Amino acid sequence: MAKRKLVAGNWKMNPPTLGKAEALARAVVEATRGDAAVDVLVIPPAPFLGAVGAALHGSAVALGAQNLHPDRGGAYTGEVAGSMLHDLGVRYVLCGHSERRQLFGESPALVGAKVAAAHRDRLVPILCVGETLDERDQGVTDTVVLGQLEQGLAGLDTAVIAETVIAYEPVWAIGTGRNATPEQAQAVHRVIRDWLRRQVGDLADELRVLYGGSVKPANAAELMAEPDIDGALVGGASLEAAGFGAIVRAAG
Ligand code: 13P
């Protein structure tokens, strides 16, 4: 069976109010109805997870979270544990988004701990990797991305690695309007797939490797036509339901 593509909308710290978040969730359900061949996921801010989950109830759109703390509980003011997310109906969680790494100082080891905690708490981690423009210009893209993969998946059994989603998000393409070309993205996705094959053998073909970075309706189809691109992690364009629906259709 061919693997299903996954299109995820990372809302980041948007929209500003609960009412708008619920309205966006309902609009996404409408805009993606009937696209049964593609898995669809929305990833709202943590305070809106319960209400957005309720708005998605009965639809095929899944719920994801943007972050988790690796521990099960304790004195961690402001943090959220995986078990709490799971109980809200969350199925996926982003780990190591470049904004978390760059703006909030998340180390590779912490990202790895989050990936392991997500699996422990029955969430599917979406491990985000990607190089900065400087790193690309220096020709070290592959080294950077594979280093992030290695540290993000450290210590996990083969079967657990196979249940992880990877998102390749070149930092220079995030929020800039400048997406990687399909050829640039495919080249890195191939490197990721080959590395995964060395870890998990043929299960590498079942793993979904998403592309993220300025995905929009106009470029989604050509990106997702590449053989190793298994879906998209969409930021800005996921805040507008019709456009997000168009991206989902492009994946289907
Ligand atoms: P943009 O689609 O806004 O470039 O954001 C990509 C992203 O960071 C998704 O996680």
Side-chain angles (χ1 to χ4, degrees):
M1 198 181 81
K3 122 187 88 175
R4 293 163 63 83
K5 283 199 164 49
L6 171 63
V7 175
N10 174 12
W11 294 0
K12 308 193 180 182
M13 201 169 75
N14 301 292
T17 65
L18 176 60
K20 287 189 167 135
E22 290 173 314
L24 178 56
R26 285 193 294 268
V28 167
V29 169
E30 286 311 313
T32 59
R33 203 184 285 287
D35 286 300
V38 178
D39 289 337
V40 181
L41 169 65
V42 294
I43 311 176
F48 299 158
L49 282 167
V52 168
L56 300 177
H57 190 75
S59 80
V61 180
L63 184 65
Q66 297 175 14
N67 189 26
L68 82 169
H69 189 280
D71 282 9
R72 284 209 145 120
Y76 301 108
T77 302
E79 292 293 309
V80 177
S83 60
M84 300 171 186
L85 299 172
H86 186 268
D87 270 5
L88 281 174
V90 170
R91 288 183 44 209
Y92 295 83
V93 60
L94 299 179
C95 296
H97 190 282
S98 63
E99 288 152 16
R100 300 289 326 164
R101 294 181 193 262
Q102 293 197 323
L103 304 175
F104 302 99
E106 287 195 6
S107 68
L110 177 59
V111 174
K114 290 184 177 200
V115 171
H119 282 298
R120 180 198 67 208
D121 286 325
R122 292 172 292 156
L123 301 167
V124 177
I126 302 177
L127 171 61
C128 303
V129 299
E131 82 287 3
T132 63
L133 190 55
D134 255 10
E135 290 163 342
R136 174 160 285 261
D137 288 344
Q138 287 165 33
V140 294
T141 295
D142 295 358
T143 315
V144 167
V145 165
L146 295 187
Q148 289 170 341
L149 275 181
E150 207 159 298
Q151 295 180 84
L153 300 173
L156 299 183
D157 293 343
T158 301
V160 176
I161 293 177
E163 283 165 20
T164 306
V165 175
I166 310 295
Y168 169 57
E169 298 204 302
V171 177
W172 47 272
I174 295 178
T176 59
R178 176 186 165 196
N179 60 288
T181 65
E183 297 72 27
Q184 283 174 320
Q186 165 59 24
V188 180
H189 280 238
R190 172 56 58 84
V191 168
I192 292 172
R193 183 91 56 203
D194 289 346
W195 183 87
L196 289 169
R197 198 178 305 285
R198 292 197 288 280
Q199 315 306 313
V200 303
D202 287 345
L203 286 175
D205 294 321
E206 309 300 318
L207 263 129
R208 291 189 285 197
V209 185
L210 315 182
Y211 168 79
S214 297
V215 175
K216 38 193 180 259
N219 60 22
E222 56 175 16
L223 283 161
M224 282 183 276
E226 294 293 338
D228 290 296
I229 300 183
D230 306 313
L233 181 53
V234 186
S238 71
L239 297 172
E240 201 273 304
F244 187 63
I247 294 170
V248 170
R249 278 191 297 285

